[in-house]
Amino acid sequence: MPYVASVAITGVALLLVVLASTRWHLLLDSWALWPAVFLASAALIGEIRPLYVSKGDAPAEAISTSTPFVLALVSLGGIGPALVTQVLASLVDDLRNRRGLQKTAFNTGQYTLSVLAARATYAGLTGLPFFGGPVGVDITHLFPLLAGGVVMVVVNRLLVAVVVSIASSERLTTIIGHEAAFFAATQLVLLSIGGVAANVAASGIAFLALLCAPAVAVYLTTAAGIRHAHQASHDALTGLGNRSLLHQRLRTATARAQAAHREGPGLVLLDLDHFKDVNDTLGHIVGDDLLREVAQRLVSVLGDDTHANRLGGDEFAVVVDGDLVATQTLAHDLLASLEKPIRIGDVELLVRASAGVAIGPEHGTDADELLKNADIALYHAKVERDRISTYSARFDVNTVERLRLLNDLRVAIEQDALGVVYQPQLDLTNGRIVAVEALIRWEHPVHGHVPPDRFIPLAENSGLIAALTAHVLETALGSLAAWRAAGHDLRMSVNVSARHLSDLALPRQVHEALTRHDVPATALVLEVTETALLSDPIRARVVLTALRRLGVAIAVDDYGTGHASLSYLKKLEVDELKVDRSYVSDMGRDEHDFIIVRSTVALARDLGLRVVAEGIEDASTVVALRGLGCDVGQGYHLGRPTSADGIAQLLALPPHDPSREPAPVPELPTVPDGATTPPSGGTPVSATDPSVGV
Ligand code: C2E
Ligand code: MG
Ligand code: MG
């Protein structure tokens, strides 16, 4: 930036001129030499031990405590010594913070110009020569010296504010406005200490040393107060800003962007994948070390003015004072910083993370809205396995809670933690189990049992449904193969979603699964809903035909709740019709329901379809259905969903007459929490359907 270069060049040139023009012997031969050395040392120490002061909403800022001592030197040592001290202090600070050459040169120029301005003001108001030697500060010099101090601070801040204004295209007056009150408060205290020091120095170094005690006391109390304020706004584990500081940072950045009428601020939310596993398997100490290392890696890609925050757990956030492209680029950099494995003790850990991005004002005009939308984007990224996702209004169908649930579901699928239960279907005439329906079960580690009606629609809206169906099909065929090996010939019904019917790869996958388990295709029924059949009818037809060619039967599930006419379904060549339980369970009491069931059964039989009545809850319904000629039934009265072992037990019993008595409840080996382990891995599922209790 030409501005930075011109400040640096002018400042450094003037510094050289002053160094050459200073008559050093004036100080070296004078009484003021040792007090000046004392003040210069104090200034250097002050630079190394800055105070970190929070100003209102903004992040804490380092305030150099060298200012009062440099000011005292402006009168006591003359321009040369004051300038050398200030430039040395600034160089020490730049070196400690490993600032680049350009920044260091700018700082040198900026401090030179401010100290020169201070001396010029002081000399002008007192009538002393600019290059004059040491002068003690009495009461007549006190005001000019303080005025010099104010000029020094103002010039200094102004030079910096211009850089900020150019970089952020914010108006200079706005930036100065932000800072004026804060600097007036902190700098006036420091400048008055400078005035006192300059006055006391004339009485000798011993008095100056006496001034140290109260100065150090003030420093320590201020530092302790600041430390407390820091603790309240920072995360103890990583030292990063906490949630409340993130809110402040977002508010400040939003106000800035709005004042400058530009896009921004950006917000990147970042969450580690599978962090819980690290904690669970390697312990919290390793988990904490990992979080600290992650924090350091994130900080390493941030510039001086951008800060990382930890929102608790394994979630981090960064506010970006820039547009969407800058925010997305930073999100990439942040994730890239985690790519190299992290070594903790003897273990090397590979950390993966996902990021959600939101940008103001498009995705939110205040901190809360930006956070909410970045959170939605983050969970979208997790669920869809994109590493970075930028918020879009179309994600809004999913609230954060739903997305979190979906992410937990993805983890459950990956960890093979979903269970499958089976509900028997009985031949209503003789009570024999002729089929079972596989139903998915999910015991959430925190929320407990989550009903399929809650998570299946979510899975359908994301890419997860494919993995979910594959899991159920695999488990169900495994169980079926075991029952068949024990001599039981029965069918297995598996629910498939609308999405699968447009998936031309489904028939091949089904065929492979059948072959793997050595189960004949005729033993498998795939249940689809009417709405699924209607949503993409042309593809559905292709997929269904291919499946039927394999020998797999197709059932229309929940029949009567959609809008498909039976004749249309017939054209699609389905094999089975499952009359929805909303008609069946009430057919004994509601004449209207009874008529619907009667006509459906009659029509289906005419079309040559097998009819399964769902939701049979009592013996009288069995009698009624038998009278209508319905072949097969399913419902709590005939058997609740149960584990594979439960089905094996039921299969071993002699058939019972369902029109007389309810189905026997299998006696299952239970583990202490009342759950049984399903046959092929997965989480324990209740002995009988947990959603309805027994
Ligand atoms: P569905 O396919 O119609 O499954 C039958 C549902 O009715 C099951 O609920 C079952 O527990 C319940 N049920 C059975 N008999 C009775 C009864 O006599 N009375 C009453 N009130 N309910 C009865 P569940 O397991 O909660 O499943 C709900 C729905 O979730 C299923 O309806 C199905 O659409 C879907 N679903 C379940 N598992 C899967 C799966 O693996 N894949 C897909 N895509 N969907 C599934
Ligand atoms: Mg079903
Ligand atoms: Mg159904």
Side-chain angles (χ1 to χ4, degrees):
M1 194 190 294
Y3 168 75
V4 171
S6 52
V7 169
I9 293 168
T10 318
V12 173
L14 286 173
L15 171 68
L16 296 176
V17 171
V18 170
L19 291 184
S21 317
T22 298
R23 286 171 289 161
W24 297 96
H25 64 90
L26 291 180
L27 174 65
L28 296 176
D29 301 341
S30 94
W31 57 269
L33 176 62
W34 287 111
V37 169
F38 186 95
L39 288 172
S41 318
L44 285 173
I45 294 170
E47 193 71 47
I48 297 169
R49 311 286 317 239
L51 283 173
Y52 290 92
V53 184
S54 290
K55 39 170 185 163
D57 260 5
E61 174 150 343
I63 298 290
S64 156
T65 44
S66 63
T67 317
F69 308 109
V70 172
L71 181 64
L73 278 172
V74 163
S75 81
L76 199 86
I79 182 64
L83 199 51
V84 168
T85 304
Q86 176 63 83
V87 167
L88 257 180
S90 137
L91 283 176
V92 166
D93 186 50
D94 291 339
L95 269 177
R96 279 182 59 230
N97 290 297
R98 301 211 179 102
R99 298 206 177 97
L101 191 65
Q102 196 193 26
K103 202 153 192 180
T104 305
F106 176 80
N107 285 348
T108 308
Q110 162 210 346
Y111 279 117
T112 303
L113 293 174
S114 353
V115 176
L116 288 180
R119 175 70 195 188
T121 309
Y122 176 66
L125 290 174
T126 52
L128 291 167
F130 186 80
F131 286 104
V135 179
V137 173
D138 59 16
I139 189 70
T140 55
H141 283 183
L142 194 59
F143 168 71
L145 184 64
L146 287 178
V150 171
V151 169
M152 176 163 83
V153 171
V154 169
V155 170
N156 196 6
R157 296 311 301 176
L158 213 58
L159 291 170
V160 177
V162 173
V163 181
V164 177
S165 161
I166 295 172
S168 64
S169 40
E170 205 174 325
R171 292 228 304 275
L172 188 60
T173 44
T174 321
I175 297 170
I176 295 171
H178 277 317
E179 305 198 325
F182 167 69
F183 273 101
T186 51
Q187 297 292 340
L188 274 181
V189 178
L190 292 175
L191 292 178
S192 6
I193 295 180
V196 176
N199 177 264
V200 169
S203 317
I205 196 164
F207 283 92
L208 256 186
L210 270 185
L211 185 65
C212 281
V216 169
V218 168
Y219 176 88
L220 290 179
T221 9
T222 318
I226 291 168
R227 207 165 38 246
H228 286 140
H230 185 266
Q231 279 162 2
S233 59
H234 286 75
D235 166 45
L237 181 72
T238 59
L240 300 181
N242 62 13
R243 190 178 279 275
S244 87
L245 189 53
L246 173 77
H247 269 269
Q248 287 184 0
R249 285 172 170 160
L250 259 179
R251 277 200 295 272
T252 313
T254 307
R256 280 185 182 226
Q258 282 169 358
H261 302 290
R262 59 180 162 82
E263 193 181 29
L267 176 63
V268 182
L269 279 193
L270 206 134
D271 189 286
L272 306 185
D273 299 343
H274 306 303
F275 175 70
K276 192 175 166 298
D277 296 348
V278 174
N279 250 350
D280 289 351
T281 51
L282 300 173
H284 288 268
I285 295 178
V286 174
D288 285 357
D289 285 348
L290 180 71
L291 288 174
R292 269 190 288 264
E293 176 63 27
V294 166
Q296 275 183 18
R297 296 246 182 127
L298 298 182
V299 169
S300 72
V301 294
L302 299 177
D304 277 356
D305 304 323
T306 317
H307 309 271
N309 304 268
R310 178 171 169 239
L311 305 184
D314 56 348
E315 216 173 86
F316 297 85
V318 178
V319 179
V320 184
D321 223 347
D323 59 10
L324 180 60
V325 175
T327 310
Q328 288 170 330
T329 311
L330 185 72
H332 273 282
D333 294 348
L334 289 168
L335 291 186
S337 76
L338 302 177
E339 257 158 28
K340 267 201 268 152
I342 293 183
R343 187 167 196 90
I344 293 179
D346 300 335
V347 233
E348 281 222 324
L349 297 169
L350 267 177
V351 179
R352 258 191 72 103
S354 315
V357 167
I359 183 89
E362 200 188 330
H363 303 153
T365 47
D366 62 30
D368 287 332
E369 205 182 350
L370 279 171
L371 262 167
K372 187 190 93 197
N373 289 339
D375 213 14
I376 290 179
L378 169 64
Y379 277 89
H380 192 268
K382 290 216 148 208
V383 169
E384 295 298 337
R385 314 225 78 179
D386 298 334
R387 297 198 64 205
I388 298 176
S389 139
T390 300
Y391 173 77
S392 147
R394 79 190 155 81
F395 300 168
D396 259 356
V397 284
N398 289 320
T399 60
V400 174
E401 287 87 296
R402 288 170 64 172
L403 284 163
R404 272 184 213 273
L405 194 69
L406 203 45
N407 181 51
D408 294 345
L409 178 64
R410 183 177 59 74
V411 174
I413 294 176
E414 277 170 12
Q415 298 181 341
D416 201 13
L418 292 178
V420 178
V421 291
Y422 305 94
Q423 186 174 27
Q425 292 177 5
L426 269 57
D427 182 328
L428 292 178
T429 54
N430 59 23
R432 275 191 39 233
I433 298 178
V434 288
V436 296
E437 176 176 5
L439 297 163
I440 191 147
R441 288 294 175 265
W442 182 21
E443 282 301 310
H444 188 281
V446 178
H447 308 306
H449 173 75
V450 187
D453 290 337
R454 250 190 89 199
F455 65 86
I456 296 279
L458 295 186
E460 281 172 346
N461 281 329
S462 71
L464 276 188
I465 191 70
L468 188 145
T469 306
H471 172 79
V472 175
L473 189 65
E474 198 62 28
T475 313
L477 290 180
S479 301
L480 181 62
W483 300 324
R484 290 177 63 86
H488 303 290
D489 183 14
L490 70 164
R491 291 186 298 272
M492 171 67 74
S493 290
V494 173
N495 294 284
V496 293
S497 298
R499 273 222 187 177
H500 299 304
L501 295 186
S502 336
D503 181 1
L504 298 174
L506 181 71
R508 188 176 41 82
Q509 283 162 4
V510 169
H511 174 68
E512 284 169 5
L514 287 166
T515 318
R516 234 187 339 270
H517 293 281
D518 195 20
V519 169
T522 47
L524 180 65
V525 182
L526 293 181
E527 296 190 3
V528 295
T529 60
E530 288 168 71
T531 358
L533 288 171
L534 295 177
S535 65
D536 185 359
I538 296 171
R539 283 232 211 166
R541 193 187 200 112
V542 176
V543 173
L544 291 185
T545 311
L547 285 167
R548 290 187 82 229
R549 213 175 291 137
L550 288 177
V552 174
I554 306 297
V556 178
D557 202 356
D558 304 342
Y559 180 74
T561 55
H563 304 285
S565 75
L566 249 189
S567 53
Y568 174 76
L569 294 178
K570 182 60 195 165
K571 268 196 233 141
L572 275 176
E573 300 183 273
V574 298
D575 306 270
E576 180 181 301
L577 204 67
K578 296 189 79 176
V579 188
D580 192 65
R581 63 170 184 262
S582 57
Y583 302 107
V584 175
S585 53
D586 257 358
M587 63 184 281
R589 287 174 291 277
D590 186 325
E591 205 193 328
H592 185 71
D593 285 352
F594 180 82
I595 294 170
I596 291 179
V597 177
R598 186 181 62 194
S599 52
T600 308
V601 172
L603 191 55
R605 282 168 59 96
D606 284 350
L607 292 169
L609 301 176
R610 178 169 59 226
V611 193
V612 178
E614 293 187 287
I616 301 176
E617 293 181 347
D618 50 38
S620 61
T621 309
V622 176
V623 177
L625 285 165
R626 266 187 194 164
L628 298 179
C630 177
D631 320 327
V632 184
Q634 179 180 345
Y636 295 159
H637 177 72
L638 308 179
R640 287 176 185 259
T642 180
S643 68
D645 286 347
I647 292 291
Q649 287 185 27
L650 292 176
L651 286 170
L653 297 174
H656 74 290
D657 181 358
S659 65
R660 289 163 183 269
E661 50 184 337
V665 176
E667 283 172 31
L668 293 162
T670 48
V671 289
D673 63 358
T676 54
T677 312
S680 54
T683 37
V685 291
S686 299
T688 50
D689 196 0
S691 56
V692 284
V694 196

